[in-house]
Amino acid sequence: MSRPPNYEFQEWWNKQRENQHELFVDKSENPNPSWLTVEIRSPTADQTVEKERARSARQISWVCLLRFQQIANSFAYLTNGFVSVLRTANRRIADADPPSRRPQSRLYRAIKAFLIFVVALLVFELVAYFKGWHFSPPTVGSTAEVVDFVELVYANWLEIRAKYLAPALQCLTNVCVVLFLIQSLDRIVLVLGCFWIKFRRLKPVAAMEYSGDSENVNVEDYPMVMVQIPMCNEREVYQQSIASVCIQDWPRERMLIQVLDDSDDLDVQVLIKAEVQKWQQRGVRIIYRHRLIRTGYKAGNLKSAMGCDYVKDYEFVAIFDADFQPAPDFLKKTIPYFKGHDDLALVQTRWAFVNKDENLLTRLQNINLSFHFEVEQQVNGVFINFFGFNGTAGVWRIKALEDCGGWLERTTVEDMDIAVRAHLCGWKFIYLNDVKCLCELPESYEAYKKQQYRWHSGPMQLFRLCFMDIIRSKVSSAKKFNLIFLFFLLRKLILPFYSFTLFCIILPLSMFMPEAQLPAWVVCYIPGIMSILNILPAPRSFPFIVPFLLFENTMSVTKFNAMISGLFKFGSSYEWTVTKKLGRSSEADLVAIMENEAEPLLESTSLQRSSSESGLAEITKLELNKKSGKNRRNRLYRKELALACILLSASVRSLLSAQGIHFYFLLFQGVTFLVVGLDLIGEQVS
């Protein structure tokens, strides 16, 4: 619907035009030239057209003013952001630990040498560019005409580059491109399999269902279940994790909860003991275990707990890490799948995240893990009956654990280890995409980096240890191929190798060695398509598709370092660091549920009072210790900063040779490495 004409504005506009015309005519030397005649008023027949023109002029002026204001605001916003980044970078560089305090890793030394080489090449290319040698490159054969030593050196460099370096780089490029295409094909097949599952509505079917009627319950229909909560210094989440397990809708006489505390902090030990005692007084069958000799990390903790004599009375064991908070009906939704399937070892559920929108880092993690659970786990569960156990939010048949040798302490991925051994023994797995268990994502880059390092070094440790076991096993050749090529090599080794080599080494080098070509579709188009496929399970995260692509390439340096460490048994690959948690509450009514679950205590009132007072005193003491402790700080990450300098130097070289898409990719990727290296992504602390 068109806007009605503004006649008042039309009259004002005509008067202004008349005044301007009179002033113009009076001041001119020749007041009556024919070419200065201006028609002030339109004929009566064209009055409507003139009004529309006046209205259009007003609209254009307002649109121009609005655009100028938006440009000014954007410029001010970008300027403030740039100044803020510079101040933060300056402060963190000033507060950084001296290099002598932290030993330099092998990878960092290699990256630093590569940086020196790239900067030297950039200086050399800048000199050649300003001398015009890019238009008429000098040759070694014309040395008689060469009087400049620098020109002679540049001519020799061009010959060495063309004959020796560029062919080797092109060969490595072709290998990485082939690996990239194979991995992309695997990703497309997984997505198509997920679409097929959705289209055909394929999902596991339970042989029975537990009713919600808690009054008419036949206890014999509920198998004996043991629930384990392994934890280590989990001061932020121990309460909510214990509470969420204790309120499970399962007959209490048919369930035993083990709190497996490996904490070396005495304050945390006392607090967890008090929490366990509180639930014991409410009638929950829960026990507290603490090892005197804490070896083997989580695997050693679980192995010690499974060695208890009373374990033989239980048929299933559910495992939850300290930050996981299962819904009250978790056991009712998972245990029925075991009925009638004697060859079923594991029922794995999906993770859901309480803090996925907390910051940019958690949003990007949500994209990655949503694809892992929605696509990888679901497709492998439906078509292969095997996938890697996620270490938590799953229920195991205890007989299957014993049959494959139980928990072993030989790697830092004990969950994947026991899953592979159970699969080789003929056991099957089920993945439930509809059953979700709430948990917490790492909100700081330091915690996320340590987690990813462990997740990518452990599989390589395991691959070395179980390769011959896979070859000698009695499973089919198809299952052996799936384990060796797809599960280990393609998704655990090839992916971090080509991602780091292609985008952090080959691409910058190809800018300084233009004889080696890296096509634009490898740099931009195929990665863009793969990012779109990755983001499909989390469609709300589509605005973050570009940051996701750049951040995944940034994380390739950590994953590559972890893969190499695990494959060649470097000492750092066996380090285990508990992922830092902040204790985000998953359900607003968790406290209300706890209050409703409170029953008359089994012990005396005096015991309850003393326990409560003791817990209050310990909480107060813990708060004082936290306040007096050392404050955490954001860090500087040297490998990421060095790679940022490499990529930005390569972008300058790309700009000189007018390679558009390569320049933009190198620029944005270098800025992403810079942001991550300065720890500007994720949780910000002082």
Side-chain angles (χ1 to χ4, degrees), residues 451-632:
Q451 180 196 70
Q452 291 299 305
Y453 189 93
R454 176 166 51 87
W455 285 5
H456 285 82
S457 65
M460 290 298 98
Q461 302 171 16
L462 180 60
F463 181 64
R464 286 187 297 99
L465 295 172
C466 70
F467 177 75
M468 293 308 301
D469 294 335
I470 297 174
I471 297 297
R472 291 192 294 260
S473 65
K474 298 180 181 180
V475 299
S476 64
S477 299
K479 291 183 177 180
K480 292 180 181 179
F481 174 81
N482 173 68
L483 273 175
I484 294 175
F485 182 73
L486 294 179
F487 187 75
F488 281 112
L489 292 181
L490 186 60
R491 297 167 188 167
K492 309 299 181 184
L493 188 148
I494 292 177
L495 176 58
F497 170 77
Y498 88 76
S499 181
F500 174 75
T501 307
L502 194 61
F503 296 109
C504 299
I505 303 298
I506 294 177
L507 180 58
L509 273 181
S510 65
M511 297 298 101
F512 297 96
M513 301 180 189
E515 295 85 358
Q517 295 292 327
L518 188 60
W521 56 268
V522 176
V523 177
C524 181
Y525 304 127
I526 298 297
I529 294 173
M530 293 301 105
S531 297
I532 293 175
L533 296 181
N534 265 78
I535 215 166
L536 287 178
R540 291 180 55 191
S541 302
F542 193 81
F544 302 95
I545 184 170
V546 174
F548 171 74
L549 171 62
L550 297 174
F551 181 69
E552 281 300 294
N553 290 335
T554 306
M555 285 302 301
S556 65
V557 60
T558 299
K559 297 176 181 179
F560 177 81
N561 188 25
M563 182 267 293
I564 294 297
S565 298
L567 191 61
F568 296 102
K569 297 193 295 184
F570 294 153
S572 58
S573 63
Y574 290 91
E575 295 178 359
W576 178 292
T577 304
V578 178
T579 304
K580 180 67 178 178
K581 307 173 185 69
L582 300 179
R584 302 287 182 183
S585 178
S586 62
E587 299 179 7
D589 56 347
L590 182 59
V591 177
I593 294 176
M594 292 169 57
E595 294 298 331
N596 293 334
E597 285 290 317
E599 296 179 355
L601 302 183
L602 301 180
E603 304 293 335
S604 63
T605 307
S606 60
L607 177 60
Q608 177 188 8
R609 186 181 299 112
S610 62
S611 176
S612 301
E613 292 173 355
S614 174
L616 181 60
E618 292 299 332
I619 290 175
T620 304
K621 180 180 178 182
L622 182 58
E623 291 296 328
L624 292 175
N625 289 340
K626 289 169 64 177
K627 291 179 181 179
S628 62
K630 183 179 179 180
N631 293 330
R632 293 189 300 117

Side-chain angles (χ1 to χ4, degrees), residues 364-380:
L364 300 180
Q365 291 180 70
N366 179 56
I367 295 173
N368 215 346
L369 290 173
S370 294
F371 182 87
H372 171 71
F373 286 104
E374 183 78 22
V375 180
E376 291 180 346
Q377 295 286 77
Q378 189 171 204
V379 170
N380 291 330

Side-chain angles (χ1 to χ4, degrees), residues 130-149:
F130 286 110
K131 285 183 174 292
W133 294 339
H134 283 69
F135 300 101
S136 56
T139 59
V140 179
S142 59
T143 54
E145 303 175 1
V146 175
V147 295
D148 190 354
F149 175 75

Side-chain angles (χ1 to χ4, degrees), residues 253-415:
E253 61 270 23
R254 312 290 289 181
M255 180 178 70
L256 174 67
I257 301 172
Q258 287 182 320
V259 178
L260 311 177
D261 182 25
D262 255 7
S263 304
D264 55 5
D265 189 330
L266 295 179
D267 292 328
V268 178
Q269 293 179 28
V270 173
L271 287 175
I272 296 176
K273 285 181 183 179
E275 185 70 16
V276 169
Q277 188 178 28
K278 180 182 71 176
W279 286 101
Q280 286 175 344
Q281 295 168 0
R282 293 179 177 177
V284 178
R285 299 180 68 235
I286 180 173
I287 60 176
Y288 174 86
R289 282 181 54 86
H290 183 270
R291 296 189 298 163
L292 297 178
I293 302 176
R294 300 182 303 109
T295 58
Y297 302 113
K298 181 180 176 181
N301 200 0
L302 294 172
K303 180 179 179 180
S304 174
M306 294 299 294
C308 298
D309 294 336
Y310 53 78
V311 173
K312 64 179 181 296
D313 299 329
Y314 294 86
E315 188 175 357
F316 305 104
V317 55
I319 302 173
F320 300 100
D321 283 349
D323 60 317
F324 278 73
Q325 302 158 44
D329 59 350
F330 180 88
L331 293 178
K332 283 189 172 181
K333 288 184 176 180
T334 54
I335 296 297
Y337 289 90
F338 287 97
K339 188 174 180 60
H341 297 86
D342 295 335
D343 58 347
L344 181 62
L346 168 68
V347 174
Q348 173 71 59
T349 63
R350 180 173 179 169
W351 297 1
F353 311 107
V354 298
N355 60 338
K356 61 182 180 181
D357 297 324
E358 187 65 27
N359 53 43
L360 179 59
L361 179 61
T362 58
R363 291 177 185 272
L364 300 180
Q365 291 180 70
N366 179 56
I367 295 173
N368 215 346
L369 290 173
S370 294
F371 182 87
H372 171 71
F373 286 104
E374 183 78 22
V375 180
E376 291 180 346
Q377 295 286 77
Q378 189 171 204
V379 170
N380 291 330
V382 170
F383 294 107
I384 307 178
N385 293 119
F386 167 73
F387 44 82
F389 175 45
N390 297 120
T392 179
V395 182
W396 277 91
R397 188 188 298 271
I398 295 180
K399 181 181 177 182
L401 292 177
E402 296 172 348
D403 182 50
C404 63
W407 299 101
L408 298 181
E409 308 165 9
R410 57 182 182 172
T411 70
T412 57
V413 283
E414 74 294 327
D415 45 8

